[in-house]
Structures are given as C-alpha cells and as structure tokens.
Amino acid sequence: MRRFIFSAISVSLLALISFGSYAQSNEEMKSLVAQMNKEMIDLVKAGRYEAMGKFYDKDAVSLPNYRVMEKGYKLILNNNLGRQKGGYKILDGSKTTVELFVGEDMMADLGTYTLTMTFPGLAEPKVDNGKYLNVWRKDDEGAWRIVAETWNADKNPNAPAQGKVQTGPSTGAPVKANPGTGTQTGTEQKPVMDTKDGKK
C-alpha cells in the first residue's frame, strides 16, 4: 500500500512539474509573440517593409481584408511597397494576442489590432479596429516565421451609420448598403477601401 501511495505521489509531482514547465514555456512564447508583433508594427510605422522579411516564410500566404489571396512573400512585399508608394501610411498601431496555441514547431496567434492610417483622399487619419490570425512555423535555424496570415476589420468602412441612410450628392436618392458585400446601390457608388493597407 505504501509503495502504491509513494508511486501515486511521484506521478502527481511529475505531472505538476510538467504542467509548470509548459505554463512557463507558454508565457515565454506569449512574450516572444508580443515582442515580434511590436517590432512588426514599428517597422510598418517606419515604412521599412523590406525589413519585414525576417518574420515571413518565403512561401507565406496572406489572406487580406477586401483583397485576393497573396501567395509568396515576394508578392506580399511588392504589394506593400506599391501601397506605400501610392501614399498609404501607418501612423500608429498595436496588436494584442487573445489566444496563443503553441506546438513543438507551429503556433497560432489569434488577436485584435488597432491601426491609425492615412492615404490619399482622407481628410484626416482613420482609425481601424479588427481581428487577426497569424500562423507561425519554426524554421530549421530555430527562427519563427509567418506561414499564413489573415485579418479583417470589425466594421465595414463604407457601411452607413446605424439607423441612417446615405444619400447621393446630386439627387439625394437613398444609397443602400448591400449586406456582406461592401458595395452600395443607388446613385452613388463608393469604392471599398482595404482598412489595413488602403488598396481599393
């Protein structure tokens, strides 16, 4: 009986030690992800898109808000540089992890973001709030790189204010938003603007 009790206590202690190690590891990973997210925001604010390559796998896939899929980091970078050249700029921003799922060489960071941006046509900077999902994979050298990313805004930027109907500038006819499409019908057609990078 004593032997059984001793064995049970030993197993319990090992389980607690293992759990403690995992919890500590997960906290360390949350700290690492927070650091990488901040560095990426800082690089984007500085307009240093080329330096973002250290965080991406060469075959990374991006599923952007209001745009088609982008396959490969070269295309992701090229599109970011194109929008920057067109006058799009991130003035401030932050990313907050809500859930972090960590495996041996893969992890998924699910969270929320806020961005303050400007681009041609805006009278003043726009603040966008939304959610994101980044999938990271550890490469052969031990560095974590994004292999897939996606994000979308909490609110359609072209949606009319709740309880209000937009009207066209010339006739005053109602302009109705089409739910889920980001498009409008009526006399005034407004382009959908990507709330992350400003591409129409």
Side-chain angles (χ1 to χ4, degrees):
M1 184 67 176
R2 282 183 185 176
R3 190 170 182 180
F4 174 78
I5 293 173
F6 178 78
S7 298
I9 292 173
S10 298
V11 170
S12 298
L13 286 173
L14 286 173
L16 286 172
I17 291 171
S18 299
F19 177 79
S21 299
Y22 173 79
Q24 182 181 6
S25 174
N26 200 47
E27 287 304 311
E28 289 174 353
M29 291 308 299
K30 284 182 179 179
S31 178
L32 174 63
V33 169
Q35 177 185 333
M36 292 190 295
N37 282 341
K38 183 181 184 305
E39 187 173 345
M40 285 191 287
I41 289 288
D42 288 342
L43 288 174
V44 169
K45 285 166 56 178
R48 298 180 56 204
Y49 286 98
E50 294 91 339
M52 293 279 285
K54 64 182 285 188
F55 295 109
Y56 283 84
D57 184 87
K58 66 181 181 64
D59 298 318
V61 175
S62 184
L63 308 174
N65 196 31
Y66 295 125
R67 298 200 317 275
V68 298
M69 181 187 301
E70 298 172 352
K71 293 184 177 181
Y73 181 68
K74 286 184 178 180
L75 178 59
I76 295 171
L77 174 60
N78 182 68
N79 287 346
N80 281 332
L81 292 175
R83 286 181 282 275
Q84 181 184 43
K85 188 176 180 180
Y88 173 81
K89 181 173 176 56
I90 296 292
L91 304 177
D92 200 4
S94 64
K95 296 171 75 174
T96 303
T97 297
V98 175
E99 295 284 351
L100 185 65
F101 306 95
V102 183
E104 184 176 349
D105 59 359
M106 297 282 291
M107 65 177 171
D109 173 26
L110 185 156
T112 61
Y113 71 82
T114 180
L115 294 175
T116 303
M117 68 194 75
T118 185
F119 45 82
L122 282 185
E124 57 185 32
K126 171 183 173 58
V127 177
D128 174 43
N129 296 295
K131 54 275 185 192
Y132 71 89
L133 174 63
N134 288 339
V135 179
W136 297 79
R137 181 173 62 203
K138 187 186 293 186
D139 66 16
D140 294 337
E141 297 176 355
W144 288 96
R145 297 181 184 275
I146 293 174
V147 293
E149 64 176 5
T150 188
W151 68 90
N152 57 70
D154 289 341
K155 182 179 179 181
N156 186 327
N158 289 330
Q162 197 166 11
K164 294 183 179 179
V165 178
Q166 293 175 320
T167 58
S170 57
T171 65
V175 179
K176 299 179 181 178
N178 291 333
T181 65
T183 61
Q184 297 173 316
T185 60
T187 59
E188 183 183 18
Q189 294 288 334
K190 293 184 178 181
V192 171
M193 186 67 70
D194 182 336
T195 56
K196 180 179 179 185
D197 51 32
K199 183 176 178 182
K200 296 179 181 179

